[in-house]
Amino acid sequence: MNKGRFGEFGGRYISELLVPVLEELETAFEKVKEDKEFKNKLDYYLSKYAGRPTPLYFAENLSKKLGIKIYLKREDLLHTGAHKINNTIGQVLLARTMGKKRVIAETGAGQHGVATATAAALFGLECDVYMGKEDAERQKLNVYRMKLLGANVNIVDAGSRTLKDAINEALRDYATNFKDTHYVLGSALGPYPYPSIVKYFQSVIGIEARTQILEAEQCLPDYLVACVGGGSNAIGLFAQFLDDNTKMIGVEAGGKGISTGKHAARISGDGQKGVLHGSLSYILQDNGQIRETHSVSAGLDYPAIGPEHAYLHELKRAQYVSVTDSEALEAFHLLAETEGIIPALESAHAIAYLPKLAKQNKNKIIIVNLSGRGDKDVEHVAKIEGANL
Ligand SMILES: *Cc1c(COP(=O)(O)O)cnc(C)c1O
C-alpha cells in the first residue's frame, strides 16, 4: 500500500497550504504511537474518565428470538453516550503533545461537537465547533450542550448548511490557524493521516471485543456488524479481525429506499468513485455535484464513506448493505423491548440487519457494535410516530 492510500482510495487531495500542516500532524502521530507515556495517559483517561473497557454483552433474549448468538459491544455506555469520545480524547491529547492551544471540529447533529468540547474542557484547550445552520436549528439542545462545555459554536450559513459545509469551514480555519490549532476530525475520513489517526484511536473497540469474545466463546465470531457513517466505529471494530475468517458487514443508511434517491448508501446504493474533503472514495454525486443525502439518523447522513471501507469493499473483505429508515425504527423498538436497551438510531441500523442475517445463519456468533445510546433520539422518534409529548 502506498502511504496514505488504501488501494487507490484515500490520499491527500487538499490545498498546498495544508500539506506541511498534515505532514507535521503525521510526524506527531507516528511519534505518539511509539510513546509509552502517551499510551499510558490515553489508557488512563479512556478507563477512568470515559468508562472503558465497555462490556461485550450476550443479548440472550434477542438471540433466542432470531436464532443466532448476538453479542453487543456496549459503546453506548461510554461517557457522552457513544464511541466518539475514544477519538476525541485521543486527538486532544495528541494536540497537547504538539503544543496546540486550540482545537476545532465539525459537527452534523452535534455528537462529535459535544465529544470534542468535552475533551477540550477536560484538557483545558480552547474549542471552536463548526455546525451548519440547518443542523443547528434541528439540534438546539446539542448547541447549548457544547456552549455549556465552554466551546464556541460557529454557525455555517453556506451551501446546504449541513455537515459537509461545516467540514469545509473547519478545513479553512485549520489552513489559517494551524500554528496553534489542531483540527479534530470526527470520523475515519478526510485527507491522510486522518483516516489512520481515527482508526488508531477507535481500534480499542476491536482490541477489547476480540479478547472478550475469546473469553466468552473460546473462538472468534462468524460475523461483525456495524453501522457506517464515515466509518469510524466500524473500522475500529473490524481492524483487529482483518486477518481472520470473520465476515464483516457495514450497514449504510438506506433512507427512504435506494430507488427514491433519498438515502446515504454510498457503496450499497448508487455512489461513484470521487473526491470529497481531501480523500478519494465512494461518494454520492450527480455530474460532479455532491448530492443531498437523507437518513433518519444524522450520524449516518454523509455523502462520502471512509476510504478504507471503499478498499475493503473492492477487496471483498467486507460487505456493505443498507437498511431503510423504517427498518431502523423497527429495530429501535426491537432492542428496547427485547433487551431493555434503547440504541442510537445509527446503531439501530446495525440491529436492523440482524433478522436478515439470521435467515441464512442459524446459531452463528455475531458481534454487533452498539455505537451509541438512543436517549438523544427518543424525542425525534416519538415525533415521527406521532406520539403526543
Ligand atoms: C457519529 C455516529 C455514528 C457514525 O459515525 P462513524 O464514524 O461511521 O462511526 C454511528 N453511531 C453513533 C452513535 C454516532 O454518534
Side-chain angles (χ1 to χ4, degrees):
M1 189 186 84
N2 280 331
K3 200 173 79 171
R5 293 271 177 186
F6 306 90
E8 69 178 296
F9 300 104
R12 199 179 260 175
Y13 299 82
I14 43 159
S15 94
E16 294 282 309
L17 272 177
L18 275 171
V19 173
V21 183
L22 292 177
E23 278 171 0
E24 181 203 0
L25 177 60
E26 183 188 342
T27 307
F29 171 56
E30 293 301 330
K31 215 167 113 195
V32 299
K33 276 202 292 187
E34 306 301 323
D35 181 353
K36 245 204 129 89
E37 203 181 309
F38 181 88
K39 179 123 194 9
N40 289 342
K41 204 175 279 175
L42 177 62
D43 287 349
Y44 174 84
Y45 286 104
L46 287 180
S47 126
K48 305 291 184 210
Y49 182 78
R52 304 212 71 91
T54 59
L56 185 72
Y57 169 69
F58 176 54
E60 195 177 346
N61 301 331
L62 186 61
S63 296
K64 276 204 185 116
K65 191 171 175 112
L66 298 180
I68 46 180
K69 282 184 105 168
I70 299 162
Y71 285 85
L72 301 175
K73 183 58 174 158
R74 299 288 311 271
E75 297 298 291
D76 61 312
L77 294 177
L78 288 172
H79 179 46
T80 69
H83 69 292
K84 287 196 168 75
I85 193 84
N86 301 324
N87 174 47
T88 60
I89 287 182
Q91 282 201 48
V92 173
L93 277 175
L94 173 61
R96 254 195 2 181
T97 68
M98 296 173 77
K100 310 285 181 184
K101 304 274 182 279
R102 173 176 178 259
V103 289
I104 57 173
E106 83 291 347
T107 198
Q111 297 303 111
H112 175 57
V114 168
T116 304
T118 299
L122 175 63
F123 297 117
L125 273 71
E126 228 184 289
C127 180
D128 273 280
V129 179
Y130 289 92
M131 189 172 193
K133 188 162 188 250
E134 186 156 326
D135 287 335
E137 277 162 14
R138 283 188 292 207
Q139 302 288 340
K140 287 197 181 105
L141 202 59
N142 270 342
V143 173
Y144 183 66
R145 201 170 269 139
M146 288 182 265
K147 290 181 178 166
L148 258 183
L149 293 160
N152 304 309
V153 181
N154 302 281
I155 305 298
V156 179
D157 193 0
S160 57
R161 300 175 184 83
T162 58
L163 178 61
K164 76 174 166 48
D165 313 289
I167 297 181
N168 288 338
E169 278 312 307
L171 282 168
R172 210 163 288 152
D173 181 321
Y174 193 30
T176 313
N177 298 308
F178 59 86
K179 282 219 165 60
D180 72 343
T181 297
H182 172 67
Y183 176 18
V184 182
L185 195 68
S187 189
L189 293 169
Y192 183 73
Y194 278 108
S196 302
I197 291 178
V198 177
K199 174 189 180 180
Y200 178 76
F201 289 130
Q202 292 295 359
S203 290
V204 65
I205 301 172
I207 292 170
E208 288 175 7
R210 193 184 168 96
T211 308
Q212 290 166 323
I213 195 72
L214 285 172
E215 200 173 292
E217 290 285 343
Q218 288 77 47
C219 66
L220 291 174
D222 299 296
Y223 285 94
L224 306 175
V225 180
C227 65
V228 187
S232 71
N233 87 87
I235 205 68
L237 176 65
F238 293 178
Q240 296 309 307
F241 298 85
L242 288 171
D243 298 330
D244 305 309
N245 292 324
T246 299
K247 296 188 178 82
M248 300 170 183
I249 298 175
V251 185
E252 297 183 282
K256 296 184 194 294
I258 303 299
S259 62
T260 66
K262 292 191 160 81
H263 62 80
R266 293 76 32 115
I267 292 180
S268 58
D270 47 7
Q272 303 159 350
K273 287 177 193 174
V275 170
L276 181 65
H277 297 135
S279 184
L280 176 68
S281 186
Y282 283 90
I283 62 179
L284 291 167
Q285 57 185 342
D286 276 328
N287 306 317
Q289 287 284 91
I290 301 302
R291 246 163 64 188
E292 295 260 319
T293 52
H294 167 85
S295 171
V296 69
S297 71
L300 304 184
D301 198 354
Y302 178 69
I305 187 167
E308 191 164 0
H309 289 290
Y311 184 52
L312 293 176
H313 163 69
E314 290 235 323
L315 291 177
K316 297 191 162 54
R317 181 64 191 88
Q319 186 194 354
Y320 295 84
V321 300
S322 69
V323 304
T324 62
D325 287 352
S326 51
E327 289 169 325
L329 287 165
E330 234 173 89
F332 186 80
H333 285 279
L334 175 66
L335 195 67
E337 286 166 23
T338 55
E339 297 291 345
I341 298 171
I342 301 174
L345 275 176
E346 291 83 4
S347 323
H349 282 70
I351 302 293
Y353 191 67
L354 296 177
K356 302 186 191 193
L357 190 63
K359 280 196 187 126
Q360 276 121 42
N361 291 283
K362 289 294 165 224
N363 301 317
K364 295 281 198 247
I365 299 170
I366 293 151
I367 296 179
V368 183
N369 204 11
L370 202 67
S371 54
R373 65 172 183 238
D375 305 50
K376 69 182 177 64
D377 297 316
V378 169
E379 194 180 346
H380 183 196
V381 173
K383 268 190 194 142
I384 291 172
E385 294 175 350
N388 218 342
L389 295 182

